[in-house]
Amino acid sequence: MTEFSFACTGVRADRYAAGPTLVFRLRVTASGDTPVHALALRCQIRIEPARRGYASAEADGLTDLFGERSRWGSTLQPVQFAQVSLMVPSFTGETETDLVVPCTYDMDIAATRYLAALTDGEVPLLMLFSGTAFTGAAGFRVEPVPWDREATYRMPVATWREMVEQHFPGCGWIRLPSDTMDALLAYRSRHALPSWEATVKALLDTPDPPVNDPFRALTGTTGRTDP
């Protein structure tokens, strides 16, 4: 059986991708001198938050995920970051290849909320590999890549921020239910507001309605039924 090992040697933000994308550089090593015709890999990437320290401002931003700092001994659990597939072309001994990881800036995703809370330093990642190898000097044979293959990497926070700024410069992203979006659109049209930013600012500047229900500011004069 061929023994495989993996190492991550770097990461960069793909400035030419259609959406936020990180490209990790992987080094793949196969024992012996038997040719590897192809390697079909599955890679699961996890964030391991317990493997770094946090400034006070970062801890405040992570309260929603992990609770108060006093509880972190039990709540600072791994966070799923990505799960991707990769086909490595033929090689013998050792090769390097790119692992392309599409990302999201959806703040409903735990990994995004975690990364957005960090101000500097590094993100401790654990990469778990499995898959199938096609090897052999004459013809080929099929071998499994066992689940215990892994690699660690500390991704600079600056790389994540660079990627986000390439696609969402100075912006955030929020997902809303359809009825809330309909009410926002009606409010924007009713007040002839030029942008979504102006719409949200107008709502923030509106005095609280008599009933403590922010949605009423949107629907109160449209005849819509509150959800």
Side-chain angles (χ1 to χ4, degrees):
M1 295 288 289
T2 305
E3 292 290 329
F4 292 94
S5 61
F6 302 88
C8 182
T9 62
V11 64
R12 60 181 172 84
D14 187 350
R15 64 176 58 251
Y16 302 109
T21 303
L22 292 173
V23 181
F24 293 88
R25 191 66 176 172
L26 292 183
R27 180 183 298 128
V28 184
T29 304
S31 62
D33 56 2
T34 301
V36 178
H37 301 297
L39 192 57
L41 287 177
R42 294 181 297 273
C43 179
Q44 181 181 152
I45 305 177
R46 297 177 183 171
I47 298 170
E48 296 199 308
R51 291 174 47 208
R52 62 157 284 169
Y54 300 91
S56 296
E58 293 174 326
D60 292 342
L62 294 171
T63 301
D64 184 44
L65 282 178
F66 304 120
E68 298 296 330
R69 192 189 282 266
S70 60
R71 300 176 52 210
W72 284 9
S74 59
T75 62
L76 220 59
Q77 300 298 317
V79 176
Q80 180 81 359
F81 179 62
Q83 189 159 334
V84 294
S85 299
L86 173 66
M87 182 63 72
V88 181
S90 62
F91 69 96
T92 300
E94 185 177 282
T95 188
E96 290 198 358
T97 188
D98 287 338
L99 179 66
V100 178
V101 179
C103 301
T104 178
Y105 199 44
D106 184 347
M107 294 301 289
D108 284 343
I109 306 299
T112 303
R113 300 212 309 272
Y114 173 85
L115 291 163
L118 304 184
T119 57
D120 58 15
E122 297 171 328
V123 182
L125 300 177
L126 176 64
M127 298 179 170
L128 304 171
F129 297 94
S130 65
T132 304
F134 302 89
T135 66
F140 71 90
R141 64 177 181 268
V142 179
E143 302 182 35
V145 178
W147 274 102
D148 62 355
R149 304 295 92 178
E150 62 182 44
T152 59
Y153 184 68
R154 302 188 71 86
M155 178 179 70
V157 174
T159 303
W160 167 264
R161 294 193 173 276
E162 176 189 353
M163 178 199 70
V164 172
E165 284 298 309
Q166 287 173 1
H167 295 274
F168 305 106
C171 299
W173 191 92
I174 186 171
R175 183 175 57 186
L176 297 173
S178 296
D179 54 352
T180 304
M181 284 300 302
D182 289 344
L184 276 171
L185 180 58
Y187 182 89
R188 176 178 173 177
S189 299
R190 188 166 67 250
H191 294 274
L193 295 167
S195 66
W196 288 115
E197 180 182 4
T199 303
V200 174
K201 285 184 175 179
L203 283 167
L204 291 174
D205 292 339
T206 300
D208 292 338
V211 179
N212 188 20
D213 180 4
F215 199 76
R216 191 177 297 276
L218 297 178
T219 62
T221 60
T222 64
R224 296 177 184 268
T225 302
D226 289 353

